[in-house]
Amino acid sequence: MDEGCSRIRRRVSVRKRNRPSLESVSAAPTAAELKPGDEEKEEEDEEMVAGSRRRKTMDVQPVENIDSEEDLFGDYDSFAENSFLAQVDDLEQKYLQLPEHRKHATDHATEDLCSESIKHNTLSMTTVGDCTELKIDEHTKNQSGHEKVSIEPATDVLYDIPSSQVLFFENLYNSSDDLGDPSTEKRDWNSSSHKTVNKELPINNIEQPQQTDESSSKVKTSSDANRRKSLKDHLKNTMTGNAKAQTPVFSRTKQLKETLLSEEINVAKKTIESSLDDLGPFYSLPSKVRDLYVQFKGIEKLYEWQHACLTLNSVQERKNLIYSLPTSGGKTLVAEILMLQELLCRRKDVLMILPYVAIVQEKISGLSTFGIELGFFVEEYAGSKGKFPPIKRREKKSLYIATIEKGHSLVNSLIETERINSLGLVVVDELHMIGEGSRGAILEMTLAKILYTSKTTQIIGMSATLNNVEDLQEFLQAEYYTSQFRPVELKEYLKIKDAIYEVDSKAENGMTFSRLLNYKYSDTLKKMDPDHLVALVTEVIPNYSCLVFCPTKKNCENVAAMICKILSKEYLKHKEKEKHEVIKNLKNISSGNLCPVLKHTIPFGVAYHHSGLTSDERKLLEEAYSAGVLCLFTCTSTLAAGVNLPARRVILRAPYVAKEFLKRNQYKQMIGRAGRAGIDSTGESILILQEKDKQQVLELISRPLENCYSQLVQEFTKGIQTLFLSLIGLKIATNLGDIYHFMSGTFFGVQQKILLKERSLWEITVESLRYLTEKGLLQKDTILTEKGLLQKDTIHGSEEEFQYSFHITKLGRASFKGTIDLAYCDSLYRDLKKGLEGLVLESLLHLIYLTTPYDMASQCNPDWMIYFRQFSQLSPAEQNVAVLVGVSENFIGKKASGQAIRKVDKNIVNRLYLSFVLYTLLKETNIWSVSEKFSMPRGYIQNLLSGAAAFSSCVLHFCEELEEFWVYRALLVELTKKLTYCVKAELIPLMEVTGVLESRARQLYNAGYKSLMHLANANPEVLIKTIDHLSRRQAKQIVSSAKLLLHEKAEALQEEVEELLRLPSDFPGIVASSVEKA
């Protein structure tokens, strides 16, 4: 270009703009959203810096998809011609002086894995030498408002390059890259950004400079003719100028900016590419999710009902949903897909509530791999595990898997910290449990609070045994989906004497004759097996599996032993080697001990399964059963509601659970275990009954499922009182009218006409609040508001009652934070207060006594001889603990000798006895020896231990709210850890991993895996070879769980670092400046 000719230059944009995150790329703002005034103001500022200018204006369309707060690439600008070194330096200095405001928008990078298909961007970056020209897509219709853009020939270094030369300069720039020009390495971000953004652009953007030139044709100057010279002359002059030009020297700051931006743009580019490859082919989820289900769970195709449920309009619109199907129908898979949609697509946290600790741990093991592969955390909230409030994650989202009790505490903490809206989805398995005792009351409270405090949280409930769904629908404001689908056909039979009848609803009496048993029994065998159990089980075992449900734990053991006495020796040969390994493993996990019943039955492929076994033993037996090594379980009804162990045939030994007659719900859950999807073509259930029970059984098989009824009022201290205390503590509702309004929206409120015969809901509300106030947990404040008067008129309460608002006392807050049963909160306070007067710290006994659960003590019946023997072996300091709590050796001695003595508080005596059991267990860490010493089932002792660990955690939270109990805080943290793991200190880090119990932890430790880092970096194939009796699936789950836990800890530390380095929001300078702006 001729030096003498005036150069017409077009400033593209001097405004600051946000670098668009992946989210913003998909939705450009309209022209109306932009502020032309901001642009003009900045032009005037620049005019003052530049000095005198010759100004001409032209009309252009408003720029789309640009936010006026920050430049697309920070404060950085590239320049058109290298020959203007002085101008480059001046502008560099000017830009360096400007305040830098960078926003790192990479947080949303993973969000678009599942976002809607990304729209074509209207922003195009075209690299020309050192110049990045911004081209505006004017394909959209003209807007009425136009911005003025200055054309400044003297000072602006951003040239308007004719579109005919764009391709040439790109090629020239690329060729210089190829030649290894060092200056282009510094400018590499330009080309990468060009590729990144242009990938999303329509081709017609290339025409835009020509359109801009046309719009500027109104500006007639002598330079127009020069600009229309032949292409050859332009190229010749430009190449000559470029040859003479020097490479500008970039500042270190600018280089750092370029590096950072290059990294961010590359991350964004990869994310966009992966999201385009995986944009929701599997129910709006990446195809990787489908691959993971094939790889880890062997699920290649969904059932028709699952597809129908996932594509329901109500699900798409995120309405609350209840769905009900028979057991083994595949309900959990639907819930998992919905949870993954929430975590990955909507970027919200998810809470899954399960009924038992064992199921929580099983689910965590199953989903840890998904968490690692898809980038979310899986956190356990069961027993003493779980952080309140949960860690606020920077990028990744969390899936909280919780028991009913821990789920309630989690929701409370989220409401208190005003984070309840971060919870996008709550999934409740076994929703029918809302009608079962205190746990049902807690579940109802949890759901009611979510409904009341968050309008964005979706609730999904599922169950196999629901009847009065309409009430639940009204409570949860939910849609309902149901199907009778079963992957395997189920046939129900009844056995009376030798005859077997098939259940047939069309028959007159509900059953039709099927066949007679033809198993030959001797007279001796008939006495041993009057119900012909052996005849029924030998029709399926050992090639197929069988479950025999028994009324009691002792009956389970007796039936298992009896069956093995009658079975022929041929059964010993079936998988003999594998069964020998099972016995060996049981001995290893029990320090060489083995139950004599299991020692006799396992060689036949038979075992019993109930809560009297330790969790280690149950887990090992379940794995052996799933692998087909064991073919018959005699079990209690808890197995039906717990882990998923299906069988070809299910036999109900009697229509009783303990001494109570079987309920329809229990019956359906038990027989639901019959039939294994993918293995059996049919499943069978056989209910054995006596003639006397025939009529009741016929009613049982024909009647509908039992209704669910709210337990809020029935469970007084664990229900309605606990609810009111937390409502006021969390400030959800603090006056009588608001509390009544809340109660009207609960499940109890929906069913009040059925449940309340003598008193009204209003009377119960008033009575409960009065009780809490008298107990010192609440205090009244006198108020009378307009709102209160309106409510009073609506509800017809007395004016005096409506004058009160409530606030929680310190004791009340401690009780609700510690989730202490209000029946025991004053006892706990007294015990802790008394403990401060003379806390014995020479041993753990005194602290253990304070954390022994009150409810377990009330159910305990001590063996007085054992009590006296253990008491006499205590050291003087330990005996002092007994004296301090109010139990003397003289009293125990008299009870052991059977003497009648004056009454002593039974709860204190029983609680001390259980403290002895726990104390002995912590000292010896061998559950078998403690079981023998106290003549207690080892399973009961383990339940006591886990109950004490959970209660210790509750007492810790209780003490944190009361300043006077500061001394307990540090002590209880360590005690809770000891009770949770009850192993030597070196095994605790390994046992933090879900699925690693004491025996496995010891194996891993002995093999050299001594920390979480060791496990996280382990190779599953090496683990299989190193650790005895470890399956490939278990090895992968252990490694995945360890990785996930390690990532969680690293993320928490990163959060802590960032929090420490972050400028406080209440920093004086920031507050002052915000006041000035206001």
Side-chain angles (χ1 to χ4, degrees):
M1 294 182 192
D2 193 352
E3 286 284 334
C5 295
S6 60
R7 301 180 179 93
I8 298 176
R9 282 162 231 151
R10 180 169 63 88
R11 183 184 324 113
V12 183
S13 175
V14 293
R15 296 180 303 163
K16 291 182 173 185
R17 299 178 297 272
N18 274 328
R19 289 190 302 278
S21 67
L22 295 179
E23 188 176 20
S24 64
V25 168
S26 61
T30 61
E33 290 173 42
L34 302 175
K35 298 178 181 177
D38 294 345
E39 195 165 5
E40 289 175 8
K41 186 178 176 182
E42 288 197 39
E43 285 178 13
E44 289 169 12
D45 294 341
E46 194 164 309
E47 189 175 21
M48 294 174 67
V49 177
S52 62
R53 294 175 178 172
R54 195 172 44 154
R55 169 175 281 177
K56 294 183 183 179
T57 62
M58 68 176 183
D59 291 331
V60 294
Q61 278 188 300
V63 178
E64 292 191 352
N65 201 24
I66 297 173
D67 191 346
S68 61
E69 290 180 4
E70 188 180 12
D71 191 82
L72 182 64
F73 300 105
D75 299 322
Y76 186 85
D77 269 312
S78 294
F79 308 102
E81 290 189 10
N82 296 333
S83 55
F84 291 92
L85 272 180
Q87 293 179 37
V88 169
D89 288 339
D90 287 345
L91 279 170
E92 180 185 347
Q93 293 304 317
K94 181 184 79 174
Y95 277 98
L96 285 173
Q97 289 167 13
L98 291 173
E100 292 178 15
H101 302 288
R102 290 185 173 275
K103 293 184 180 178
H104 298 280
T106 55
D107 294 28
H108 303 289
T110 55
E111 178 167 355
D112 286 356
L113 273 171
C114 315
S115 66
E116 296 177 3
S117 51
I118 297 176
K119 299 172 186 175
H120 285 302
N121 195 357
T122 55
L123 192 64
S124 176
M125 305 300 298
T126 307
T127 308
V128 186
D130 287 345
C131 171
T132 301
E133 177 181 338
L134 198 65
K135 298 195 292 183
I136 312 304
D137 185 355
E138 295 180 14
H139 188 65
T140 56
K141 64 177 183 179
N142 289 329
Q143 306 293 320
S144 57
H146 299 291
E147 292 182 283
K148 293 183 177 180
V149 180
S150 305
I151 310 252
E152 298 150 7
T155 54
D156 198 329
V157 293
L158 297 173
Y159 281 86
D160 187 11
I161 307 297
S163 60
S164 57
Q165 297 184 27
V166 169
L167 187 60
F168 168 78
F169 280 109
E170 280 190 24
N171 292 337
L172 182 65
Y173 182 77
N174 290 337
S175 64
S176 68
D177 275 351
D178 295 339
L179 293 169
D181 184 355
S183 67
T184 60
E185 289 176 15
K186 295 179 183 178
R187 300 190 304 268
D188 188 53
W189 68 273
N190 279 336
S191 59
S192 68
S193 63
H194 167 61
K195 291 171 191 170
T196 304
V197 186
N198 266 340
K199 243 182 185 346
E200 306 303 316
L201 296 175
I203 296 171
N204 63 10
N205 278 339
I206 295 172
E207 297 169 10
Q208 291 315 117
Q210 293 174 346
Q211 294 176 24
T212 308
D213 287 345
E214 287 169 15
S215 68
S216 64
S217 62
K218 297 175 186 176
V219 184
K220 303 292 183 182
T221 64
S222 60
S223 62
D224 289 354
N226 291 331
R227 291 181 66 219
R228 291 187 177 85
K229 282 184 178 181
S230 68
L231 176 62
K232 183 178 178 181
D233 289 341
H234 277 302
L235 296 182
K236 194 182 292 182
N237 288 333
T238 307
M239 290 174 72
T240 305
N242 285 346
K244 293 176 183 177
Q246 297 179 17
T247 304
V249 180
F250 285 79
S251 68
R252 175 67 178 158
T253 308
K254 207 157 283 185
Q255 290 178 35
L256 289 172
K257 287 181 187 177
E258 288 176 10
T259 307
L260 178 63
L261 289 168
S262 177
E263 288 175 3
E264 290 183 2
I265 290 164
N266 285 335
V267 168
K269 179 181 175 183
K270 287 175 185 173
T271 309
I272 290 172
E273 286 172 352
S274 65
S275 69
L276 288 174
D277 292 338
D278 275 346
L279 193 62
F282 183 67
Y283 300 99
S284 302
L285 290 165
S287 59
K288 188 175 185 181
V289 175
R290 179 178 52 207
D291 298 339
L292 289 172
Y293 271 109
V294 173
Q295 182 182 349
F296 295 115
K297 300 199 175 186
I299 298 170
E300 295 183 4
K301 190 178 178 183
L302 270 64
Y303 297 130
E304 282 183 21
W305 84 262
Q306 291 171 329
H307 173 75
C309 187
L310 286 167
T311 52
L312 287 172
N313 287 335
S314 53
V315 173
Q316 305 297 323
E317 294 164 12
R318 296 192 74 250
K319 291 180 180 175
N320 294 346
L321 176 72
I322 299 169
Y323 63 99
S324 176
L325 280 98
T327 305
S328 305
K331 295 184 296 295
T332 307
L333 179 59
V334 169
E336 286 180 9
I337 291 172
L338 292 172
M339 291 192 299
L340 292 173
Q341 285 177 357
E342 199 68 31
L343 289 161
L344 303 177
C345 303
R346 300 186 186 95
R347 306 289 297 151
K348 289 287 191 84
D349 296 327
V350 174
L351 168 62
M352 186 179 201
I353 298 175
L354 300 169
Y356 305 111
V357 175
I359 306 176
V360 168
Q361 291 173 341
E362 184 183 31
K363 185 59 67 180
I364 283 175
S365 296
L367 290 176
S368 290
T369 312
F370 284 77
I372 289 290
E373 295 289 336
L374 299 171
F376 61 86
F377 292 114
V378 182
E379 300 184 38
E380 180 180 350
Y381 280 77
S384 60
K385 291 185 178 179
K387 190 173 178 62
F388 302 104
I391 297 168
K392 193 172 183 180
R393 304 294 181 186
R394 190 162 42 96
E395 291 178 14
K396 294 182 179 179
K397 296 301 166 186
S398 292
L399 168 57
Y400 310 115
I401 302 181
T403 55
I404 291 170
E405 294 79 6
K406 287 290 179 179
H408 183 225
S409 299
L410 179 67
V411 167
N412 280 345
S413 68
L414 289 173
I415 293 170
E416 187 175 26
T417 52
E418 298 181 351
R419 286 168 52 195
I420 189 65
N421 287 323
S422 68
L423 201 61
L425 175 66
V426 175
V427 173
V428 182
D429 195 8
E430 309 295 353
L431 183 61
H432 63 269
M433 288 194 74
I434 201 168
E436 295 181 15
S438 61
R439 306 191 80 214
I442 293 168
L443 180 57
E444 181 180 343
M445 287 189 276
T446 307
L447 296 175
K449 286 176 187 173
I450 293 167
L451 288 165
Y452 195 84
T453 58
S454 175
K455 302 304 176 192
T456 58
T457 304
Q458 184 184 16
I459 296 173
I460 304 284
M462 52 182 171
S463 174
T465 54
L466 283 178
N467 190 32
N468 55 332
V469 180
E470 297 81 8
D471 288 350
L472 284 164
Q473 274 186 269
E474 188 179 342
F475 165 48
L476 296 175
Q477 300 147 37
E479 303 286 320
Y480 180 56
Y481 177 87
T482 186
S483 168
Q484 293 307 309
F485 172 82
R486 276 192 111 258
V488 178
E489 184 191 1
L490 172 63
K491 292 183 178 177
E492 296 176 46
Y493 296 97
L494 304 176
K495 178 191 165 295
I496 306 170
K497 297 183 179 177
D498 289 345
I500 293 179
Y501 300 86
E502 184 172 356
V503 174
D504 184 359
S505 57
K506 295 172 185 175
E508 189 178 337
N509 61 352
M511 60 182 190
T512 54
F513 177 78
S514 177
R515 63 190 172 98
L516 284 171
L517 279 176
N518 57 3
Y519 191 87
K520 293 180 181 178
Y521 273 90
S522 65
D523 292 338
T524 311
L525 290 181
K526 276 184 182 178
K527 287 179 183 177
M528 288 176 66
D529 182 20
D531 294 326
H532 309 97
L533 270 173
V534 173
L536 292 171
V537 300
T538 50
E539 289 178 349
V540 289
I541 66 168
N543 296 319
Y544 297 100
S545 56
C546 183
L547 294 174
V548 179
F549 284 103
C550 303
T552 65
K553 293 175 195 173
K554 192 65 184 170
N555 193 231
C556 288
E557 296 176 32
N558 292 341
V559 168
M562 179 271 293
I563 289 172
C564 292
K565 282 179 184 174
I566 300 175
L567 287 177
S568 71
K569 305 296 181 187
E570 291 295 314
Y571 286 91
L572 295 169
K573 296 175 184 176
H574 182 76
K575 297 194 175 182
E576 188 175 3
K577 185 182 175 184
E578 289 91 334
K579 287 186 284 199
H580 179 71
E581 287 294 315
V582 171
I583 291 174
K584 186 181 171 186
N585 288 347
L586 282 169
K587 285 183 177 178
N588 288 339
I589 65 172
S590 305
S591 307
N593 297 288
L594 180 64
C595 168
V597 176
L598 291 176
K599 184 179 180 180
H600 172 60
T601 63
I602 287 174
F604 288 92
V606 178
Y608 67 85
H609 184 289
H610 58 61
S611 60
L613 294 166
T614 65
S615 52
D616 277 340
E617 290 172 314
R618 283 200 302 271
K619 194 174 182 68
L620 204 151
L621 292 172
E622 285 162 12
E623 287 165 2
Y625 177 85
S626 298
V629 177
L630 298 177
C631 54
L632 174 64
F633 264 175
T634 58
C635 50
T636 53
S637 60
T638 51
L639 185 137
V643 289
N644 187 21
L645 293 174
R648 174 66 172 268
R649 178 176 286 180
V650 169
I651 300 169
L652 279 68
R653 172 82 173 73
Y656 291 92
V657 172
K659 293 178 182 178
E660 290 185 13
F661 197 81
L662 203 60
K663 291 178 183 175
R664 175 74 173 163
N665 289 355
Q666 293 170 323
Y667 172 71
K668 291 292 281 184
Q669 277 199 318
M670 290 182 195
I671 68 169
R673 295 297 177 201
R676 297 170 299 171
I679 301 172
D680 299 326
S681 56
T682 184
E684 302 170 340
S685 73
I686 301 174
L687 170 57
I688 299 171
L689 63 140
Q690 308 302 319
E691 196 67 46
K692 66 181 178 69
D693 295 323
K694 183 178 175 181
Q695 194 54 44
Q696 272 186 287
V697 168
L698 289 175
E699 288 173 14
L700 169 74
I701 60 173
S702 60
R703 68 169 173 249
L705 294 162
E706 287 82 11
N707 288 336
C708 281
Y709 292 112
S710 171
Q711 300 294 307
L712 263 188
V713 174
Q714 205 164 340
E715 296 291 331
F716 203 56
T717 56
K718 283 189 177 179
I720 196 167
Q721 291 182 359
T722 299
L723 173 61
F724 287 175
L725 192 66
S726 62
L727 287 180
I728 294 162
L730 294 168
K731 297 180 180 172
I732 295 171
T734 53
N735 64 60
L736 199 51
D738 287 344
I739 292 168
Y740 178 82
H741 177 63
F742 181 95
M743 278 300 293
S744 301
T746 60
F747 189 39
F748 179 79
V750 170
Q751 295 184 325
Q752 59 180 299
K753 289 179 182 176
I754 305 167
L755 299 175
L756 296 177
K757 302 295 183 188
E758 297 172 0
R759 294 178 298 170
S760 68
L761 179 57
W762 175 260
E763 289 170 334
I764 288 174
T765 304
V766 171
E767 185 185 320
S768 300
L769 289 169
R770 188 179 293 125
Y771 176 86
L772 291 169
T773 307
E774 288 169 1
K775 205 163 183 178
L777 302 172
L778 292 179
Q779 273 187 357
K780 284 182 182 179
D781 295 325
T782 305
I783 60 156
L784 185 62
T785 62
E786 229 175 283
K787 181 184 173 188
L789 285 170
L790 286 170
Q791 288 175 330
K792 175 182 76 66
D793 295 335
T794 308
I795 304 162
H796 310 296
S798 72
E799 190 171 318
E800 186 184 346
E801 286 165 343
F802 259 106
Q803 288 177 352
Y804 294 115
S805 174
F806 295 87
H807 73 263
I808 197 164
T809 63
K810 286 184 179 180
L811 178 60
R813 180 166 294 282
S815 300
F816 122 72
K817 280 292 193 71
T819 60
I820 307 295
D821 185 343
L822 299 186
Y824 305 122
C825 66
D826 44 1
S827 301
L828 176 62
Y829 181 82
R830 279 198 307 271
D831 289 343
L832 291 170
K833 191 80 173 169
K834 192 176 180 181
L836 289 177
E837 296 169 10
L839 191 61
V840 179
L841 295 175
E842 286 183 47
S843 73
L844 287 172
L845 182 59
H846 200 167
L847 279 175
I848 289 170
Y849 171 79
L850 292 172
T851 56
T852 300
Y854 289 94
D855 53 349
M856 294 191 81
S858 62
Q859 299 161 14
C860 171
N861 292 306
D863 182 315
W864 296 106
M865 282 304 297
I866 293 171
Y867 203 158
F868 182 71
R869 196 182 308 128
Q870 293 298 318
F871 200 106
S872 60
Q873 292 172 8
L874 296 176
S875 68
E878 290 161 351
Q879 285 192 359
N880 189 30
V881 174
V883 173
L884 282 170
V885 301
V887 181
S888 66
E889 186 175 8
N890 184 39
F891 168 78
I892 303 297
K894 285 182 178 179
K895 288 291 282 184
S897 61
Q899 294 181 33
I901 51 169
R902 62 181 177 81
K903 283 190 175 181
V904 175
D905 191 331
K906 182 185 172 184
N907 286 329
I908 293 175
V909 176
N910 291 1
R911 202 163 171 235
L912 184 64
Y913 184 66
L914 293 181
S915 303
F916 286 174
V917 178
L918 290 166
Y919 182 51
T920 309
L921 187 59
L922 285 184
K923 284 197 296 184
E924 299 183 10
T925 69
N926 185 336
I927 207 162
W928 281 82
S929 63
V930 177
S931 172
E932 199 174 315
K933 269 184 187 176
F934 288 89
S935 191
M936 285 180 170
R938 53 198 182 280
Y940 174 82
I941 292 173
Q942 194 168 57
N943 289 339
L944 172 65
L945 182 66
S946 59
F951 188 62
S952 176
S953 175
C954 293
V955 175
L956 172 59
H957 292 306
F958 181 88
C959 293
E960 283 172 346
E961 297 299 318
L962 296 168
E963 190 61 37
E964 61 200 290
F965 295 145
W966 63 271
V967 71
Y968 288 116
R969 294 174 200 166
L971 297 170
L972 289 174
V973 169
E974 287 306 309
L975 180 65
T976 303
K977 196 178 283 187
K978 285 178 182 290
L979 289 168
T980 300
Y981 300 109
C982 192
V983 291
K984 292 178 180 175
E986 63 265 20
L987 298 183
I988 289 177
L990 299 176
M991 288 186 68
E992 287 180 354
V993 178
T994 304
V996 176
L997 299 172
E998 182 184 357
S999 56
R1000 186 72 77 204
R1002 198 181 293 114
Q1003 281 181 310
L1004 291 165
Y1005 188 85
N1006 293 337
Y1009 298 96
K1010 299 185 178 182
S1011 71
L1012 191 61
M1013 286 78 80
H1014 287 160
L1015 277 186
N1017 291 290
N1019 183 337
E1021 296 303 322
V1022 175
L1023 276 182
I1024 295 165
K1025 294 172 186 173
T1026 313
I1027 307 299
D1028 290 340
H1029 322 300
L1030 183 69
S1031 70
R1032 182 170 276 97
R1033 184 178 64 86
Q1034 290 171 312
K1036 286 180 178 178
Q1037 284 182 347
I1038 286 171
V1039 172
S1040 293
S1041 296
K1043 280 181 180 175
L1044 197 64
L1045 197 56
L1046 199 62
H1047 285 180
E1048 281 179 25
K1049 292 192 173 187
E1051 184 85 6
L1053 289 172
Q1054 184 68 32
E1055 290 284 346
E1056 198 173 335
V1057 168
E1058 291 196 0
E1059 189 63 37
L1060 288 170
L1061 298 177
R1062 192 177 294 132
L1063 191 66
S1065 58
D1066 58 351
F1067 190 70
I1070 294 175
V1071 175
S1073 63
S1074 63
V1075 169
E1076 284 173 19
K1077 285 179 184 176

